[in-house]
Amino acid sequence: MNPAGERTGATGSGGRRSRQSTGQFGDLGLYLADPALEASVLALLDDVEVELRASVASADPFVTEAARHLLEAGGKRFRPLLVALGAQFGDPTAGPVVPAAVVMELTHLATLYHDDVMDEAAVRRGAPSANSRWTNSVAILVGDYLFARAADLAADLGTEAVRLQARTFARLVHGQIAETVGPRPGDDPVRHYLQVIAGKTGSLIATSARFGAMFGGAAPEHIEALAGYGETIGVAFQLSDDLLDIASESVQSGKTPGTDLREGVPTLPVLYARAGDDSDAASVRLREILAAGAVTDDALHAEALGLLRESPALKRARETVRSYAEDARASLAPLPHNPARRALESLCDFVADRTS
């Protein structure tokens, strides 16, 4: 589960990715209105790109090829972006900031290798997944290798960095286990789902913002504010992806609309629809279709998708996304009013509005 919007770009010399200065960071809706801020962030991300390629290199050419597989497929580098923005509240040129961003992105990439095995995915970022190109065993081991490289780099940043990276990894694993096992008898499915997202997605984005502020030398209260922002905006982004999978008529969500519904993934609108007590015919019919889990029949799938798009459940899910986006904005209150804060606020606006 990862925020939507894949970044693409030509790769220049030394592994740097060329980026056009547009004031808008890809599809993330992050508006970098200040030229100095934009230059700082883009320069840092270019350095991260170079270090990422170097950090996954191995004496074994096959390991290097497999470890660079998803790295070279692209990606939006959302977590390094949060590191870069968090560092703006201190000194973004501080030496540990780039390695900290690399640690976060390597940890994220490792989870993608493992996720594709668990999901039996054939494609990732428009390229064959590692498990389909090689085997599940290779994909799992490469993910382990990337985790190990992240831990190695974190060790150079100090004991606190190692502890935070390990605790973040533990939360990621807890979130994945909770998703795999599902809610226990008596658990609220919606609450369980939100906890899964906080663990699997929010935790790493929170630590990314924390690392940027921490290694940039920001004040303690600013570090905590940015960590809280990161977790909340991460959850909001994933929830908005859930809505796009239903509401979008295009591939704005990065996949064919209704994919989660076809695969039986119980996203927030579906959970709200299942739990609803609306007695109108459309809501009753929707609950009947969703009761079976995966909706693979084309006619039923089209019917369910149409009903969901007009349902009170989708409206309620939109309100939940907006609530998380506003909570993320509120987390920024202790921060100074500078271009970096305004950029982070613009992301709240984007998340709140992208599914309206």
Side-chain angles (χ1 to χ4, degrees):
M1 296 183 181
N2 305 292
E6 292 297 317
R7 178 181 55 77
T8 59
T11 301
S13 61
R16 291 177 183 267
R17 292 185 178 272
S18 63
R19 302 166 188 266
Q20 184 178 4
S21 178
T22 61
Q24 188 81 9
F25 195 87
D27 295 328
L28 288 173
L30 188 88
Y31 191 59
L32 302 178
D34 181 76
L37 171 64
E38 184 178 28
S40 173
V41 169
L42 294 180
L44 191 149
L45 291 177
D46 278 343
D47 288 342
V48 168
E49 206 68 33
V50 173
E51 293 301 318
L52 277 170
R53 289 181 59 83
S55 65
V56 302
S58 166
D60 185 328
F62 174 76
V63 174
T64 300
E65 179 188 9
R68 285 181 175 172
H69 179 64
L70 287 184
L71 181 63
E72 294 177 346
K76 57 193 168 296
R77 305 293 188 255
F78 185 57
R79 290 144 194 86
L81 173 61
L82 263 292
V83 174
L85 287 170
Q88 302 298 319
F89 296 90
D91 177 9
T93 66
V97 174
V98 169
V102 174
V103 168
M104 292 293 93
E105 186 65 9
L106 286 177
T107 303
H108 171 58
L109 286 170
T111 66
L112 299 185
Y113 281 83
H114 289 178
D115 280 352
D116 285 346
V117 172
M118 297 190 69
D119 297 341
E120 299 179 347
V123 177
R124 168 71 70 173
R125 294 176 174 172
S129 62
N131 48 298
S132 65
R133 180 172 175 180
W134 294 290
T135 63
N136 282 347
S137 295
V138 167
I140 291 169
L141 291 169
V142 172
D144 291 345
Y145 171 71
L146 293 176
F147 276 128
R149 292 296 298 126
D152 190 12
L153 291 173
D156 292 336
L157 296 173
T159 304
E160 185 63 13
V162 173
R163 181 180 294 110
L164 286 169
Q165 197 257 357
R167 289 177 177 175
T168 302
F169 184 27
R171 284 195 66 197
L172 285 165
V173 173
H174 272 282
Q176 184 64 68
I177 291 172
E179 181 180 53
T180 303
V181 173
R184 294 179 172 85
D187 286 352
D188 176 8
V190 171
R191 183 170 181 270
H192 174 269
Y193 182 64
L194 294 174
Q195 289 174 337
V196 165
I197 294 176
K200 285 190 61 179
T201 300
S203 63
L204 190 56
I205 295 174
T207 302
S208 297
R210 179 185 293 278
F211 266 23
M214 188 170 80
F215 290 110
E221 62 271 22
H222 296 166
I223 296 172
E224 294 305 317
L226 285 160
Y229 169 88
E231 174 138 353
T232 311
I233 202 66
V235 173
F237 238 117
Q238 181 56 51
L239 293 178
S240 67
D241 276 0
D242 289 355
L243 271 65
L244 284 179
D245 183 61
I246 293 168
S248 176
E249 295 287 353
S250 65
V251 291
Q252 184 183 1
S253 63
K255 56 191 175 183
T256 303
T259 297
D260 290 334
L261 184 63
R262 190 177 294 279
E263 295 178 354
V265 178
T267 57
L268 188 66
V270 169
L271 291 172
Y272 278 153
R274 287 178 178 174
D277 57 2
D278 304 277
S279 58
D280 61 284
S283 297
V284 172
R285 174 57 178 161
L286 179 57
R287 287 197 296 271
E288 289 175 355
I289 299 174
L290 297 178
V295 185
T296 56
D297 178 82
D298 288 344
L300 285 177
H301 180 270
E303 183 183 1
L305 195 57
L307 290 170
L308 270 169
R309 286 172 173 169
E310 301 299 326
S311 69
L314 187 62
K315 179 181 178 182
R316 185 179 177 190
R318 284 194 173 106
E319 292 170 351
T320 300
V321 170
R322 187 169 293 277
S323 174
Y324 271 95
E326 290 306 314
D327 286 348
R329 185 194 306 277
S331 298
L332 299 172
L335 299 176
H337 289 275
N338 60 16
R341 173 171 170 172
R342 290 192 289 274
L344 295 170
E345 289 173 338
S346 75
L347 188 56
C348 298
D349 295 333
F350 175 73
V351 172
D353 294 341
R354 72 196 291 241
T355 58
S356 298

